[in-house]
Amino acid sequence: MERKKTQVAIIGAGPSGLLLSLLLNKQGIDTVILERVTGDYVLGRIRAGVLEQGFAKLVREAGAAHNMDTLGEVHHGVEFAIDDKRVPIELTELTGESVIVYGQVDITRDMMEEREKRGIEAVYEASNVQPHDVKSDNPYITYEKDGVEYKLECDYIAGCDGFHGVSRKTIPDDVKTEYEKVYPFGWLGLMSDTPPINEELIYSKTKRGFALASMRSKTRSRYYLQVPLSDTVEDWSDERFWEELKKRMPKDAVKNLVTGKSIEKSIVPTRSFICEPLQYGNLFLVGDAGHIVPPTGAKGLNLAASDVATLYKIMTRVYKEGDKKCIEQYSPIALRRIWNGVRFSWWMTDLLHNFGDEKDFYEQRMETSELEFFLNSEAGKKVIAEQYVGLPYEDLK
Ligand code: APR
Ligand code: PHB
């Protein structure tokens, strides 16, 4: 078995792992990333594209923000619609903040390129990645690459390996509590090289189900439809998708809809999941490894970023000041923000989707009433805006 050594071993080269490695590298802290699949495979996963300012600031600090800041679009508002009634939420007027619309694939590619440029080590197609002795002062990871077995010794392990990764499984069942809610529908997404229907995103609630109009640029649109979990992509020709979207977007927006051939179509399930705690000995769960939110509100990537921010501050203090005690702050600080994000995503998901028989007529009416209440009130819109742009990051004690 070949032996290697680093300070912080990172499992997973998704956005969480890459961002953490770039930030730690800026502080002179050595990392090695172990990734199960190829870089191209990582870039093949299409995900949301709304970045909070906190995330954008971190990417700047990490030195990977050039494309985000030149190609990303700053959005000062977002729209909600109930049937044909459209309600703009002026994010900047209400909160002083904005969001950046820039795809997760693009930000991941930018961070991958920056990592390579700076010579930070990443092992792609590493198999059988397994953390060991994470409660001891000498944790290590074993893995295989090209038929050779490796032992990577380290001080800390950052589990950035997504929902299906190995890190969370390393925490014994009697130590962790897992909370899960699986929603009875999925999101069918379609990407097309057509101009967006509207300048701002539109989250639309209709009796036929929820729809979202989003975008990647002035010439690329991203749309979503709530669909039953039993549906497959093959059930949805482009024509069927566009026809349904027209029925779920407000009428005066549909006038601007340009349809075209899809360049990607996929269905994602919608669920909430939280693992407590996020730290076990010298192992930390970061991003999707520790929590998942339904995509309504685009909080997944942004919550991953706030985890990274907290762990980055902790690791910097550990290595610069020798304060090892502060690692205990990771889980409580990260979880406070995560639960808020989970609550906001749950609220948005509940109020905007059609739950069919799962909710009785009374509950459905209450949800419409609640959404109308918030959208008709300046205070209500402000509450939505504050959460949409993202709550502030909490500092270490
Ligand atoms: N060994 C090594 N790598 C692994 C393993 C393993 N056993 N299991 C999973 N991975 C890798 C995956 O291949 C993936 O590239 O870990 C990476 C995890 O990346 P993501 O799932 O993208 O998770 P994360 O980086 O936390 O990103 C946060 O934001 O918008 C949301 O859910 C969305 O991906 C998104 C997330
Ligand atoms: C997206 O553009 O893919 C997107 C935007 C907002 C969401 C979810 C997804 O809430």
Side-chain angles (χ1 to χ4, degrees):
M1 192 177 278
E2 298 227 2
R3 280 177 63 186
K4 293 168 70 137
K5 217 171 164 41
T6 189
Q7 289 175 306
V8 180
I10 298 175
I11 308 179
S16 301
L18 288 167
L19 182 58
L20 183 65
S21 74
L22 292 175
L23 287 166
L24 293 181
N25 173 265
K26 286 264 167 186
Q27 298 296 332
I29 300 168
D30 189 50
T31 62
V32 172
I33 307 179
L34 303 175
E35 166 59 55
R36 191 171 46 88
V37 296
T38 62
D40 282 347
Y41 191 94
V42 173
L43 292 177
R45 303 184 185 119
I46 305 226
R47 300 229 169 111
V50 178
L51 312 180
E52 296 173 355
Q53 288 302 336
F55 180 88
K57 248 167 72 185
L58 273 185
V59 178
R60 286 182 200 119
E61 198 170 335
H66 178 74
N67 291 340
M68 178 189 79
D69 281 333
T70 48
L71 305 172
E73 286 182 22
V74 176
H75 280 232
H76 298 287
V78 60
E79 269 190 39
F80 281 62
I82 304 181
D83 298 320
D84 289 323
K85 186 174 160 25
R86 297 168 68 172
V87 181
I89 309 243
E90 309 293 355
L91 299 174
T92 306
E93 239 168 66
L94 292 164
T95 68
E97 294 231 21
S98 54
V99 292
I100 299 180
V101 172
Y102 187 63
Q104 180 171 325
V105 174
D106 302 299
I107 201 87
T108 306
R109 185 184 301 107
D110 296 345
M111 291 195 289
M112 271 167 94
E113 287 174 3
E114 182 62 21
R115 176 201 66 73
E116 219 170 324
K117 216 163 67 193
R118 301 228 295 262
I120 303 170
E121 188 175 350
V123 182
Y124 282 90
E125 297 183 276
S127 55
N128 294 330
V129 173
Q130 183 62 53
H132 301 270
D133 293 356
V134 300
K135 283 283 267 184
S136 80
D137 287 340
N138 302 299
Y140 64 96
I141 300 178
T142 51
Y143 66 96
E144 283 169 45
K145 167 77 183 169
D146 297 331
V148 180
E149 282 183 46
Y150 291 87
K151 177 180 184 183
L152 175 61
E153 296 170 342
C154 55
D155 302 328
Y156 299 99
I157 298 173
C160 304
D161 48 352
F163 183 64
H164 300 287
V166 63
S167 300
R168 194 177 64 253
K169 295 180 189 130
T170 308
I171 306 182
D173 285 345
D174 59 347
V175 173
K176 66 184 179 221
T177 308
E178 297 181 336
Y179 302 82
E180 184 168 42
K181 172 157 181 68
V182 179
Y183 290 93
F185 41 74
W187 273 30
L188 168 66
L190 178 146
M191 188 93 85
S192 64
D193 278 328
T194 53
I197 189 170
N198 189 45
E199 266 183 33
E200 304 297 4
L201 276 74
I202 305 178
Y203 290 82
S204 179
K205 175 182 177 74
T206 75
K207 290 180 188 64
R208 299 181 69 88
F210 168 75
L212 169 63
S214 181
M215 65 208 71
R216 292 291 175 269
S217 68
K218 298 246 180 306
T219 55
R220 181 168 285 186
S221 301
R222 179 73 169 159
Y223 295 105
Y224 295 96
L225 294 174
Q226 171 192 351
V227 294
L229 276 177
S230 51
D231 279 17
T232 64
V233 171
E234 289 69 42
D235 295 330
W236 287 88
S237 63
D238 289 359
E239 291 66 34
R240 183 177 173 206
F241 186 99
W242 294 121
E243 282 315 304
E244 187 60 30
L245 187 72
K246 283 180 195 164
K247 293 178 187 152
R248 296 195 200 177
M249 279 289 134
K251 267 198 202 73
D252 59 355
V254 170
K255 285 192 297 218
N256 303 325
L257 179 67
V258 182
T259 62
K261 200 174 147 23
S262 64
I263 53 171
E264 196 267 351
K265 235 184 309 182
S266 51
I267 296 184
V268 290
T270 48
R271 66 143 67 86
S272 285
F273 174 89
I274 307 100
C275 171
E276 287 186 334
L278 295 171
Q279 179 222 338
Y280 179 63
N282 291 316
L283 169 74
F284 303 88
L285 302 184
V286 182
D288 276 18
H291 46 89
I292 299 275
V293 286
T296 337
K299 289 296 171 216
L301 181 60
N302 292 302
L303 289 177
S306 52
D307 292 356
V308 169
T310 305
L311 190 55
Y312 166 52
K313 285 181 224 160
I314 287 175
M315 287 294 117
T316 304
R317 193 186 279 184
V318 165
Y319 285 105
K320 300 271 158 176
E321 298 171 27
D323 167 20
K324 286 193 179 177
K325 191 92 184 90
C326 70
I327 68 170
E328 287 163 19
Q329 293 188 49
Y330 176 69
S331 194
I333 291 180
L335 280 167
R336 270 193 285 278
R337 197 169 188 282
I338 290 160
W339 276 110
N340 259 304
V342 168
R343 183 190 43 70
F344 179 58
S345 310
W346 159 81
W347 186 81
M348 290 263 286
T349 304
D350 251 35
L351 297 196
L352 289 167
H353 290 76
N354 183 341
F355 282 72
D357 295 342
E358 289 235 343
K359 291 203 170 159
D360 64 27
F361 185 62
Y362 176 83
E363 277 177 293
Q364 290 179 32
R365 197 63 199 79
M366 275 300 139
E367 274 165 8
T368 308
S369 171
E370 181 165 347
L371 189 57
E372 278 171 348
F373 167 75
F374 272 83
L375 295 180
N376 284 326
S377 139
E378 280 310 298
K381 284 194 274 193
K382 189 167 177 177
V383 167
I384 295 176
E386 275 180 342
Q387 298 176 90
Y388 197 80
V389 299
L391 298 181
Y393 289 3
E394 189 176 325
D395 270 331
L396 303 186
K397 278 201 269 310

